[in-house]
Amino acid sequence: MAKRPVLQDFVVERDESRCVACQACVRMCSNDVHSYDPETNKVESDSAKCVGCHFCESFCPTKAINIKRSASQFRENANWQYRDIANLVKQAETGGVLLTGMGCDRPYPVYWDHILLNASQVTNPSIDPLREPMELRTYIGRRPDRIQWTVDSGQWTANKKQSSSIQHPASSIQSLLKLEIPIMFSAMSYGSISYNTCVSLARAAREIGTFWNTGEGGLHPDLYEFGKNTIVQVASGRFGVHKDYLETASAIEIKIGQGAKPGIGGHLPGEKVTGDISRTRMIPEGTDALSPAPHHDIYSIEDLKQLIFALKEATRYSKPVGVKIAAVHNVAPIASGVVRAGADYVAIDGLRGGTGAAPLTIRDNVGIPIELAIAAVDTRLREEGIRNQASLIAAGGFRNSADVIKAIALGADTVYIATSALVALGCNLCQKCYTGKCNWGIATQDPYLTKRLNPEIGTQRLVNLLRAWSLEIKEMLGGMGINAIESLRGNREHLRGVGLSDTELRILGIKAAGESW
Amino acid sequence: MVINATGMNYRALNEKIRCLTGSGEGEIILEGINGQRYIADGIKAAALITIKGTPGNDLGAFMDGPGITVLGNCQDGTGNTMSGGSIAVHGDAGDIVGHSMRGGRIYIKGNAGYRVGIHMKSYENLDPVIIIGGSVQDFAGEYMAGGTLVVLGEGNPKPAGNYIGTGMHGGIIAVKGKVEDFQLGGEARKNGMDEQSWNRVFPLLNEYCGIFSLDARSFSRDMFTVLCPITHRPYGRMYAY
């Protein structure tokens, strides 16, 4: 049979007049794109190996390298695009499931780009955040149904509704998570990301006064000192889950689903389970780390409740226990069940949420956008009168401060960011996280590569990002005449839709641009 | 120290147990236990806890150290994600005995339900052990990544259900009696009991028999079928790139 040409997504262009054959690119590329030929004293590039991470381009001392998208080698048409044909060819050659990294990159609507924020004019003056205090502080956790002043003891006490048929004997008053800004770092496991990336996230979280999340990879012993700013995950593989891990964290998150791969589990391949990862996950070295799709002790809301309270019991009701689910079609009733099961927060991860590795077809075709999920869940919990019982954390592809503030106005208490954080650390969204060859030292365990991410600089860049976003959020809040993020939460009158259908506006619970109050 | 738990809510009971073990109490006897969940959940101490009655779900979840004896039956989730210690049940147990357990021992004298030893794993010097005296239902040892699961099948002509060792990638399962090929999960294979495995299993049987006053000499190598993982990377070849 005639052989197909080798797939080539990118072209490496080398300006020979600039290249001094210093071979820096040869040494730096983990994909072995570049090679030096001593006979000609020239550096050659094999474009077929290039993943388009732009690392060599960024660090070439003479700026001789330029990475470009390859012009299609296939006879494309409107139905059969390059990616369709290329993926099909890969599968015909290997018979395997296609893997990918990061979030869905298909052109589904990004509702953030169809939602506009309000601002004050004349009647309700805007607030100048440079002159006046602006409050971004956010608390995460279960709120009591009512507060009551007891004269005898002179203390506030929180009570359940007397009429409430659902009893949470343990959760009348919880310690809440205190966030200085309504942004946290979403779950990424040690294993999927490097140690230096974990350190950068943990330090930045501490410096800013927010939280990072271990994902399901356990907590490295050296990172226990960040416990006050750490949320630990309990996932279906129960990797690294033990008494001290639960004890050290400020909150525990049961991972049910992930936006990039709703309904499926995860496989960390055995070759990535090195000594340090094995110790952190508490699993044998070199064997696959398999996270089954479901928790095998959870087949119902009642079972979920059982695990929530097993974790609360193990930590003496001292910290919030949340549940992370993927945004799927039935997300609102599922979230309602999760809250009724006793979760102190529900984290919802949307269609565009990232991943270290997921089957391409799952990432790109399963789930719903986070915007619709936030609105649907917030509406449902309000209708049922249980919105106070749990905080709502939104995740899945937040790109900037405007996305964040719109999410909060739709009804989220706070957001999780991960892809944005990695981009701040250098990531170029090449989507090859699953190969373990990340040139930026983020999604790799190769010590030669991980050293490229300096955790001091990484921390600073993350702190910068969060500082910049919080300044922008304050500006936007002030413009709306609001001086506390708490007053914007679920305040959908501050949002208007453009280019949306009536159905989409109804689900988002917002008016069309041009409609007044 | 004896606690009469009749009518006591699990939260109050467990707080009491935690206070006692925290202050160094070495032996606790719980009387009148009737379905209280999470007993000894997350306790990291070497106390001996004797339970009279039927404890509820998630007995000994996340625990690391206590030695629990149950004079009665257990419900579901016994030893869920436990790291160390032991649980000996003088009766039957429900589903998911030893889910994701990474250390310690669980000995059940009677039968156990579905998904026994699912996702149990060994790690460094931690090597979890489950011995079931009676039979187990389907999916025993599913996703097993380490440790030892022994099924003795006493009083039941069919010691184990189907899909045993599905997704298994570590550890061994020893079943006394015959296991048909169709009962195996796709990632497990059948072996005889070799010398090495017997040297691992027999001392455990001996301990088990000591606890339940049985005679370990009644067991011999040739009575067992051993199930091992076909590979440590069962799904390594599923992906294109």
Side-chain angles (χ1 to χ4, degrees):
Chain A
M1 184 185 151
K3 205 170 176 334
R4 282 243 178 214
V6 180
L7 294 170
Q8 182 179 312
D9 294 339
F10 298 92
V11 179
V12 183
E13 286 184 355
R14 182 178 299 276
D15 184 341
E16 296 294 348
S17 68
R18 290 187 170 194
C19 180
V20 292
C22 69
Q23 301 174 52
C25 55
V26 178
R27 288 188 298 274
M28 70 174 73
C29 180
S30 61
N31 297 298
D32 300 325
V33 170
H34 311 288
S35 58
Y36 175 66
D37 183 349
E39 282 185 21
T40 58
N41 187 31
K42 277 189 174 169
V43 177
E44 310 280 335
S45 300
D46 179 358
S47 294
K49 292 179 178 168
C50 179
V51 300
C53 79
H54 296 265
F55 191 80
C56 58
E57 187 186 75
S58 309
F59 287 91
C60 173
T62 60
K63 302 285 173 222
I65 301 172
N66 193 0
I67 310 290
K68 286 187 170 163
R69 277 205 176 270
S70 163
S72 169
Q73 306 163 58
F74 301 116
R75 179 70 172 81
E76 287 182 287
N77 64 40
N79 285 332
W80 290 88
Q81 301 278 312
Y82 172 82
R83 64 184 282 145
D84 303 313
I85 305 172
N87 288 340
L88 193 150
V89 170
K90 281 182 198 170
Q91 294 197 294
E93 283 167 2
T94 63
V97 172
L98 295 164
L99 279 183
T100 189
M102 306 313 289
C104 174
D105 63 0
R106 308 303 295 149
Y108 299 110
V110 177
Y111 288 96
W112 302 134
D113 297 338
H114 293 268
I115 296 176
L116 294 168
L117 290 164
N118 193 28
S120 302
Q121 298 293 300
V122 186
T123 54
N124 174 23
S126 47
I127 300 170
D128 181 357
L130 300 179
R131 289 196 296 124
E132 296 183 48
M134 302 294 284
E135 177 84 39
L136 296 189
R137 185 172 290 168
T138 297
Y139 291 91
I140 296 298
R142 175 174 296 259
R143 311 303 206 277
D145 289 332
R146 59 179 186 173
I147 305 173
Q148 180 177 303
W149 179 254
T150 312
V151 178
D152 294 347
S153 64
Q155 281 178 337
W156 288 98
T157 54
N159 277 343
K160 300 294 299 176
K161 262 182 226 157
Q162 297 302 320
S163 60
S164 173
S165 58
I166 309 134
Q167 291 298 316
H168 296 287
S171 336
S172 51
I173 297 186
Q174 293 276 353
S175 56
L176 302 172
L177 291 185
K178 182 169 134 187
L179 284 58
E180 295 304 330
I181 61 169
I183 302 169
M184 308 195 284
F185 296 124
S186 194
M188 290 181 279
S189 67
Y190 176 43
S192 72
I193 56 170
S194 66
Y195 177 78
N196 282 355
T197 312
C198 293
V199 174
S200 305
L201 293 165
R203 284 189 192 162
R206 181 160 71 184
E207 201 161 312
I208 287 285
T210 184
F211 294 83
W212 72 295
N213 187 313
T214 62
E216 54 187 305
L219 182 62
H220 193 282
D222 295 350
L223 299 179
Y224 271 66
E225 60 166 300
F226 296 100
K228 281 199 168 60
N229 297 90
T230 305
I231 298 176
V232 295
Q233 256 193 0
V234 173
S236 61
R238 304 287 154 85
F239 299 125
V241 178
H242 61 110
K243 173 75 173 157
D244 299 342
Y245 172 80
L246 302 174
E247 207 63 61
T248 304
S250 286
I252 301 169
E253 181 170 287
I254 298 171
K255 181 198 176 184
I256 299 290
Q258 185 178 341
K261 40 182 171 179
I264 69 164
H267 299 164
L268 185 70
E271 62 259 27
K272 286 195 191 174
V273 184
T274 57
D276 223 22
I277 305 261
S278 140
R279 273 188 293 284
T280 306
R281 296 200 174 207
M282 305 179 100
I283 52 169
E285 222 175 304
T287 53
D288 280 358
L290 305 181
S291 292
H295 287 248
H296 284 286
D297 51 354
I298 302 179
Y299 287 73
S300 65
I301 291 293
E302 290 74 17
D303 288 349
L304 176 65
K305 180 177 181 180
Q306 185 180 311
L307 182 59
I308 290 171
F309 280 88
L311 292 165
K312 284 176 182 276
E313 275 286 333
T315 52
R316 299 178 96 159
Y317 302 88
S318 60
K319 57 194 70 172
V321 175
V323 174
K324 178 178 178 180
I325 56 173
V328 290
H329 301 178
N330 225 14
V331 66
I334 294 166
S336 164
V338 168
V339 174
R340 289 167 190 280
D344 298 307
Y345 70 78
V346 188
I348 302 173
D349 195 10
L351 175 67
R352 296 185 301 271
T355 178
L360 180 78
T361 188
I362 303 272
R363 186 197 73 173
D364 289 352
N365 294 288
V366 183
I368 63 169
I370 187 61
E371 302 90 327
L372 302 172
I374 297 169
V377 169
D378 181 66
T379 303
R380 176 77 176 237
L381 298 182
R382 281 173 195 278
E383 281 170 3
E384 295 185 1
I386 56 173
R387 181 64 181 84
N388 65 301
Q389 291 182 15
S391 294
L392 182 56
I393 305 176
F398 289 94
R399 304 159 300 174
N400 51 50
S401 58
D403 291 356
V404 174
I405 199 166
K406 289 170 189 174
I408 290 168
L410 269 184
D413 284 281
T414 180
V415 306
Y416 264 144
I417 62 165
T419 303
S420 298
L422 298 190
V423 171
L425 294 175
C427 168
N428 257 293
L429 299 169
C430 78
Q431 309 188 17
K432 297 285 179 188
C433 324
Y434 60 96
T435 63
K437 291 183 181 174
C438 176
N439 267 319
W440 294 86
I442 297 169
T444 178
Q445 305 306 324
D446 179 345
Y448 183 69
L449 302 174
T450 56
K451 275 196 176 166
R452 293 176 185 181
L453 179 62
N454 177 332
E456 309 277 334
I457 299 170
T459 304
Q460 192 54 52
R461 293 180 66 87
L462 291 169
V463 168
N464 287 348
L465 177 76
L466 293 185
R467 177 176 182 272
W469 284 17
S470 63
L471 289 173
E472 290 176 345
I473 290 171
K474 286 178 181 176
E475 285 283 358
M476 288 184 275
L477 270 185
M480 286 184 256
I482 293 173
N483 63 5
I485 194 84
E486 200 66 47
S487 307
L488 182 70
R489 199 152 279 133
N491 193 342
R492 298 188 200 172
E493 277 296 358
H494 280 288
L495 302 174
R496 289 292 185 273
V498 282
L500 296 176
S501 70
D502 286 353
T503 307
E504 288 165 319
L505 289 170
R506 176 174 57 76
I507 293 167
L508 289 167
I510 60 175
K511 295 190 174 84
E515 283 185 277
S516 308
W517 287 22
Chain B
M1 175 68 135
V2 178
I3 300 173
N4 185 349
T6 308
M8 201 187 269
N9 178 280
Y10 70 77
R11 189 172 172 188
L13 172 66
N14 292 330
E15 189 56 31
K16 211 163 185 174
I17 298 171
R18 267 194 297 268
C19 288
L20 285 171
T21 55
S23 61
E25 178 69 41
E27 198 167 353
I28 300 169
I29 297 167
L30 305 177
E31 288 179 345
I33 294 291
N34 189 9
Q36 284 93 342
R37 289 183 173 185
Y38 316 119
I39 293 174
D41 181 352
I43 288 184
K44 204 173 175 179
L48 296 175
I49 301 172
T50 303
I51 297 172
K52 296 181 178 174
T54 305
N57 292 351
D58 277 345
L59 167 70
F62 310 110
M63 95 177 181
D64 189 2
I68 297 179
T69 303
V70 180
L71 304 175
N73 300 319
C74 275
Q75 297 191 326
D76 298 340
T78 302
N80 191 346
T81 322
M82 72 185 253
S83 285
S86 68
I87 300 176
V89 181
H90 292 252
D92 297 332
D95 295 341
I96 49 167
V97 172
H99 176 348
S100 291
M101 164 191 191
R102 88 168 57 77
R105 301 195 173 168
I106 300 179
Y107 296 141
I108 312 284
K109 190 178 185 188
N111 301 318
Y114 290 81
R115 309 192 296 282
V116 171
I118 185 167
H119 224 302
M120 66 193 278
K121 48 191 83 105
S122 56
Y123 157 70
E124 288 188 345
N125 54 350
L126 298 176
D127 196 16
V129 174
I130 300 177
I131 300 183
I132 308 290
S135 63
V136 296
Q137 300 298 322
D138 296 351
F139 298 108
E142 192 183 14
Y143 286 118
M144 188 164 164
T148 309
L149 169 59
V150 182
V151 180
L152 300 175
E154 290 302 319
N156 196 325
K158 192 183 174 194
N162 298 329
Y163 309 105
I164 315 166
T166 301
M168 183 178 184
H169 52 291
I172 64 164
I173 303 174
V175 181
K176 182 168 162 265
K178 205 166 155 55
V179 178
E180 304 290 347
D181 286 341
F182 71 83
Q183 288 178 269
L184 292 189
E187 289 71 35
R189 69 182 154 85
K190 259 189 336 194
N191 268 348
M193 176 78 86
D194 60 16
E195 189 77 34
Q196 197 191 348
S197 304
W198 186 240
N199 287 341
R200 181 169 169 182
V201 169
F202 188 73
L204 301 171
L205 279 177
N206 217 359
E207 188 176 88
Y208 170 88
C209 289
I211 290 169
F212 298 117
S213 309
L214 301 166
D215 186 2
R217 286 170 302 182
S218 64
F219 299 111
S220 64
R221 250 173 76 173
D222 54 5
M223 294 173 174
F224 287 87
T225 308
V226 170
L227 309 181
C228 296
I230 293 170
T231 163
H232 295 288
R233 304 274 327 269
Y235 304 115
R237 286 174 43 78
M238 255 179 72
Y239 302 108
Y241 282 78

